[in-house]
Amino acid sequence: MNIEVEPRSYLSEFIKDSSNGKILKVSLEDNAKILDVLKIIGIPQEKIHLIIINNMVSSIDSSLKDGDKVIFYPLLMGG
Amino acid sequence: MKLNQKQIIRYKRQIDLPEIGEKGQEKLLKARVLIIGTGGLGSPCSLYLAAAGIGTLGIVDSDKVELGNLQRQILHSEDYIDLPKVKSAKDRLSKLNADIKVIPYNIRINKTNIIGILDEYDIVVDCSDNFQTRYLINDACILYGKPLFYGAINQFFGQVTTIFPRESACLRCLFLESSSLNEKLSDQQLGVLGVVPGMIGIIQASEVIKYVLGAGRLLNEKLLIIDILELKFEKLNTHRNNHCIVCGDNPIIKELKDYDQILY
């Protein structure tokens, strides 16, 4: 399956080739999970504080399907 | 409580709204709201709640005003540098609206003192700036059944949600508890444009006002994320996690702890 992944805020520092913008196109095995995505794009799990899949706040165990749009946010707790 | 003539004049522009009216204004004047943190979020939030006539505002902060705060913490001013933020806040809010009661707490909240303070209020607004305080507030509001109005910011990004204990998603349902909570961020990563907490703090204030009035749609079951640089506003769906360690069906957290770290 193919999904789109957008690391937001300072997680975009992990995108090495930003020639195609801030959204990454990622190809995965059919039963892949969020952890597999993180391995492929090279962001350590502990940097992730919020996971959004298709406009729904999701968890690290959430399933993925073809065409999903995934957004990651780092810790954001300033006031 | 019947509105007096001065109150009718002061609040006329909002009393004129059918969603508010004199009855709604009376509700606002009766409301007791606790704002934890008088920084970037707490500044606009407390100013608008005071202006709207929230009758009792508790304000909690243990910090003193610093020059570096003034780029975004619009409640404070140069003449209060080195003075407690809650003194600055009380003076400013009381000058803005002498009709309301402002109660300052010049303390850092912990598992012991939060319970007595929470007990005095119907509504809690999290305008704090660190995860230890945020998780303590979250857990206390879940355990003591207080609606919580959460906001957080960094760089050009802001997040805001409304938490109804054991009904809508809490902080622990929304966010992953990872080791990055103890990570030291760089100055660049900690930078913030002053208008970002301004916007989020005002949304927190509007949520509180609507909750008191019972009007409109609230951000429970929603997380609003803003990106000022790209001017994006996204309203995301959320849901309470049945397995949440504090608000789930079989919670592990049954009493408050001080959170040097929050991993379980």
Side-chain angles (χ1 to χ4, degrees), chain B residues 12-27:
Chain B
K12 180 181 186 311
R13 291 294 295 274
Q14 62 193 45
I15 290 172
D16 286 346
L17 296 168
E19 292 81 0
I20 301 183
E22 289 195 19
K23 284 269 172 290
Q25 190 59 54
E26 287 166 14
K27 284 184 193 170

Side-chain angles (χ1 to χ4, degrees), chain B residues 85-104:
Chain B
K85 281 187 179 174
V86 287
K87 172 165 176 48
S88 163
K90 182 177 165 52
D91 289 356
R92 178 80 190 278
L93 297 170
S94 302
K95 267 186 220 165
L96 172 63
N97 191 350
D99 194 33
I100 64 164
K101 199 167 160 191
V102 181
I103 303 172

Side-chain angles (χ1 to χ4, degrees), chain B residues 52-68:
Chain B
I54 292 291
T56 305
L57 274 182
I59 44 171
V60 182
D61 210 311
S62 62
D63 288 344
K64 290 183 173 157
V65 178
E66 296 173 17
L67 184 60

Side-chain angles (χ1 to χ4, degrees), chain B residues 190-234:
Chain B
L190 285 171
V192 62
L193 185 69
V195 298
V196 178
M199 294 176 77
I200 294 292
I202 286 174
I203 294 171
Q204 289 174 285
S206 80
E207 286 285 289
V208 168
I209 291 168
K210 289 189 301 175
Y211 174 78
V212 172
L213 295 171
R217 210 169 280 185
L218 295 173
L219 283 173
N220 54 321
E221 305 283 347
K222 301 284 175 193
L223 176 69
L224 179 69
I225 293 188
I226 66 170
D227 173 353
I228 291 305
L229 207 53
E230 301 293 330
L231 205 56
K232 254 192 228 170
F233 289 68
E234 295 165 302

Side-chain angles (χ1 to χ4, degrees), chain A residues 48-62:
Chain A
I48 307 291
H49 198 232
L50 176 66
I51 300 168
I52 301 153
I53 305 174
N54 303 332
N55 268 2
M56 170 69 88
V57 175
S58 304
S59 75
I60 199 89
D61 307 316
S62 299

